[in-house]
Structure formats: structure tokens, C-alpha cells
Amino acid sequence: MITDLSHILDNARAAANKLNLIDGSVIDRVLCAVADEADRQTGYILQENRCDLERMDENDPRYDRLMLTRERLAGITADMRRVATLPSPLGRTLASFDRPNGMHIDKISVPFGVVGIIYEARPNVTFDVFSLCLKSGNVCILKGGSDAACSNRALMNIINKVLISHGIDSNTAVLLPNEHSFTDKLLTAVGKVDLVIPRGSSRLIDYVRQHALVPVIETGAGICHTYFDEAGDLEKGRNIIFNAKTRRVSVCNALDCLIVHRKRLPELPELCAPLAEKKVVIYADPQACEALAGKYPDELLQPATDESFGTEFLDYKMAVKTVGSFDEALAHIARYSSKHSECIVTEDETRKQQFARQVDAACVYTNVSTAFTDGGQFGFGAEIGISTQKLHARGPMALPELTTYKYIISGNGQTRQ
């Protein structure tokens, strides 16, 4: 049991210094070895995950995020192997130039050093964060939630076993105890932790933002909209809405609010029809309610309230807002968006361009489901999270976003006047 976080963070800093000296090919072999070991121990991982699941209500939206299956584990280990094949983000020359006095300056990518990750019932984050941090030369200090305690310990046992077998300091990846006090200690470890990234609910992210003394990159909650324009294609819209809402309701890229142009209200029942198969509850404004009445299951149709908009449901629930113009749709998104992922369904080329220019979000889609906001889907191998802020990183964060840079200046005895 870890009781002295200061000692652990000192060891982590020492491990970070040693990590910079390890050849990239060794790092890649370690990542593949962890993936192989996880495949061999799938039964053990699922058994520990079951212990966590038994403590959670199956109707809790977090249940799906917590659950591991053979298929999901296979996908997670495949992502780890994919990260191993990617080019190292370290040592890249971002800029190179000479000054009139003969100085030569290189701007070189380097790791942050010690990165803390605070997350909730998402055991996949343990492997994702480890793989991306190791590949980018960073030590990771993981603070998972109590809901996934058994799962996270099982995954960390595998990581540490492989690190030790390859002669790498086990302090390269550390899982902190579940006690809340360790969150506060991590957030205030100035000089020992270079960066903290929260991944989870808006409540968690707000807490980290309000209490952190170390630098933070926010991976914000996803309040995602899809605007079905007056020039939208009905079949594309129906498929996109169904996929974005129901593929996995517990993830941050899931659809929360459908905005529909008033002229397309007659087709709203057809747009929403597939959602009834998944028993999606629709919170509709008066105009949308009227259009859906008698054409969508009565028990699944509810009048919208003020709270229906700007809510990340993480469940089989969705709001519907009627607008009379493109500008009104933009205004609704601007008011309620979390700046995560927003989509327009339209065949109007001018509208496509206007939407892409005017919507302020990390990921803006045209005729594409917001379900694609994911590091793996973007070809990044895996992701640390989806950043909704604008400094340093935005959108899916992967290897390049886990680096900073330094300047290397060389010369021949120059002195400044």
C-alpha cells in the first residue's frame, strides 16, 4: 500500500530520467510484450473486472464503460501494438534556424516527464495511458476510481511484471490507491508532477480545474449536437443520428441533442424511427413533440425542459430542438456546446463551409457521425482523452500532444553585448 506519495513521485522523477535513455526499439518491444501478456491473462482480467461489475447497478450509465469483454480487450491490446508501430514523437526537429551572429537554434520535441491521469470507471484508460506515455517518454501516475479498482490493479500487475522483466524501472507506471486524498495530493504536487489530465465526468473535470496547482489539460465532457439542415439527406441523417446516439451511449462522443430545421419536421418521425428499437427516450420541444406524437412510442416521448438541453445524457436519452434557420441552429450549439464534437447533415456546400468555420468545437463533422471522435479512429493508435480546451492540445490527444519542446542552441563562443 502506498502511503507516502512524495516518495513515490521522487521515484517517478528518477524513472523519467532513466526512461529518456532507453532505446525506442526496446520501448516498442515492451508495449508488444504487455499486449501479449494481457492476451494470455484475459481470463484473469475478466475475472477481476467481474468483481467491479458486481458492485455496480447494471442500469448505471457507467456500467458499459466499466465492462471489459474478450472483444474489447482484444481491441485494447491491438491498440497497444499499433502504438508500438507508430513513429516516436520524441527528438523531432520542430524548427531549425540560424541567427546573424552565427548561433544555430533547434526546437526539439521532448517528453513532459511525469504525467498524472485521474479517471473514473474506465479500465481501458489504464492500458491506453500507459502505452502512450511510455512511447512518448513519460512516466504515468494513474489515479483510477474505486468503481474499477480490481480491473485497474489487474492491468497494472501485468504492466509491472513486463516492465521488470525487461529491466525497466517499475516506477515508470504507478497506480495510486483509491482514496480521494491521493487525488488532492496529486493535484498539488508542484515541482513533482509536470502535468495532470482528468478523464471523466464534468464533475471530475470541474473538481480538478478548481483544485489543481499543477498544469492541467482538460478532456471535457461531450455535449454533442447533430443539426439536420433543411438541405439534409434523409437516409444519411437517419443513419448518422442512430449511430451517434446508440453505438455506445456511455461515451463522450455520443449524440445528446438533435437539432432539426422546421421545414423537415414532417420527416422527423422517420429520422427517429430506428431509435425506438433501442428504446431511446426523446425529450422534444413542443414543435418536435407534435411531429412525433402518435408516430414514436408514447412511453418514450417526453416534453423537453430547460434541463434537457446542455445535458450529457450518457444513456439512451436524447433531446430534440426545432429551429427556423441555420443561424438559429448555430446559436443553440454555441449556447449549449461543450466544444467537443458537433455535426451538420446537409447537401448544401455553402452551409457545410459555414458550419465548419463558425462552430467552435474540437471536432466538427459534415455528414459524419460524431462517434468517430476517437484517437484510434483518427489513426493515432490510442488516446489519452479528448481535449476541449485550446491551449497546447485540442481534440483526440495522442503521442504528439504528450510532448513539449526545448530549444538547443549551439555556437562558437558567442557572447551578448
Side-chain angles (χ1 to χ4, degrees), residues 115-416:
V115 177
I117 310 290
I118 302 173
Y119 56 112
E120 295 172 317
R122 305 165 186 241
N124 63 294
V125 173
T126 302
F127 269 180
D128 289 349
V129 166
F130 166 73
S131 62
L132 291 171
C133 281
L134 189 69
K135 181 79 175 186
S136 58
N138 293 290
V139 163
C140 57
I141 306 294
L142 304 175
K143 175 61 179 70
S146 58
D147 291 330
C150 297
S151 304
N152 289 336
R153 276 197 300 269
L155 299 180
M156 187 55 69
N157 287 341
I158 291 171
I159 289 170
N160 285 335
K161 175 182 176 181
V162 173
L163 287 175
I164 293 169
S165 70
H166 283 75
I168 296 177
D169 192 334
S170 61
N171 292 294
T172 297
V174 178
L175 179 66
L176 297 181
N178 296 315
E179 285 83 353
H180 186 73
S181 62
F182 283 91
T183 298
D184 292 330
K185 291 177 182 177
L186 188 62
L187 294 177
T188 56
V190 176
K192 294 179 181 290
V193 174
D194 297 293
L195 175 68
V196 167
I197 303 172
R199 182 167 177 181
S201 65
S202 57
R203 180 180 176 183
L204 168 67
I205 293 160
D206 289 344
Y207 184 89
V208 169
R209 185 195 306 115
Q210 293 163 10
H211 293 83
L213 298 180
V214 299
V216 172
I217 294 180
E218 298 175 27
T219 59
I223 300 169
C224 303
H225 300 80
T226 291
Y227 168 50
F228 188 70
D229 184 49
E230 59 183 315
D233 180 276
L234 181 60
E235 183 177 0
K236 289 179 185 176
R238 184 174 57 244
N239 293 336
I240 287 169
I241 292 163
F242 180 73
N243 180 255
K245 178 66 263 182
T246 67
R247 190 195 73 87
R248 284 191 70 185
V249 297
S250 64
V251 293
C252 58
N253 56 32
L255 175 62
D256 293 298
C257 181
L258 168 63
I259 305 170
V260 60
H261 194 284
R262 185 180 297 122
K263 291 181 179 179
R264 305 306 296 274
L265 279 176
E267 294 148 300
L268 183 60
E270 191 171 349
L271 274 178
C272 295
L275 300 174
E277 302 169 14
K278 295 287 188 177
K279 300 189 183 306
V280 174
V281 176
I282 291 179
Y283 299 93
D285 67 11
Q287 295 177 76
C289 249
E290 184 178 352
L292 290 169
K295 299 174 182 177
Y296 195 79
D298 290 343
E299 68 275 14
L300 299 176
L301 183 59
Q302 301 289 330
T305 65
D306 290 342
E307 289 71 33
S308 301
F309 305 110
T311 294
E312 185 182 25
F313 289 107
L314 301 174
D315 201 349
Y316 287 96
K317 299 176 180 179
M318 184 182 81
V320 177
K321 170 68 176 177
T322 306
V323 296
S325 68
F326 176 71
D327 287 340
E328 193 178 340
L330 291 179
H332 185 86
I333 292 172
R335 178 177 178 182
Y336 293 105
S337 173
S338 64
K339 305 185 188 303
H340 188 291
S341 300
E342 307 293 357
C343 168
I344 184 172
V345 178
T346 187
E347 298 303 304
D348 185 314
E349 291 300 325
T350 300
R351 289 276 168 82
K352 292 178 185 178
Q353 295 172 18
Q354 287 181 314
F355 193 84
R357 283 199 306 267
Q358 292 182 245
V359 170
D360 182 11
C363 298
V364 181
Y365 292 88
T366 299
N367 295 333
V368 180
S369 167
T370 58
F372 285 99
T373 301
D374 175 87
Q377 294 298 312
F378 278 28
F380 300 160
E383 71 180 29
I384 290 290
I386 311 296
S387 171
T388 54
Q389 65 182 43
K390 298 181 182 181
L391 290 178
H392 180 70
R394 199 177 197 199
M397 289 181 58
L399 293 173
E401 289 75 31
L402 283 173
T403 64
T404 181
Y405 57 83
K406 64 182 176 184
Y407 289 98
I408 308 294
I409 303 96
S410 57
N412 190 31
Q414 289 90 336
T415 59
R416 182 172 177 175

Side-chain angles (χ1 to χ4, degrees), residues 2-72:
I2 299 169
T3 56
D4 184 358
L5 183 60
S6 179
H7 179 65
I8 289 298
L9 295 180
D10 288 341
N11 289 342
R13 177 65 64 191
N17 293 335
K18 290 183 282 187
L19 190 57
N20 284 327
L21 302 176
I22 299 175
D23 188 78
S25 62
V26 176
I27 297 299
D28 294 340
R29 286 199 296 272
V30 168
L31 291 176
C32 291
V34 171
D36 292 343
E37 185 65 18
D39 285 344
R40 282 191 291 269
Q41 298 203 43
T42 293
Y44 161 60
I45 295 171
L46 295 181
Q47 174 185 316
E48 295 302 300
N49 182 242
R50 175 54 55 185
C51 293
D52 291 328
L53 291 171
E54 288 173 352
R55 299 195 308 271
M56 184 177 287
D57 183 350
E58 290 188 27
N59 296 316
D60 190 317
R62 296 173 299 170
Y63 189 89
D64 179 66
R65 288 196 309 234
L66 175 61
M67 182 172 61
L68 294 174
T69 63
R70 289 187 179 275
E71 293 74 21
R72 288 184 180 182

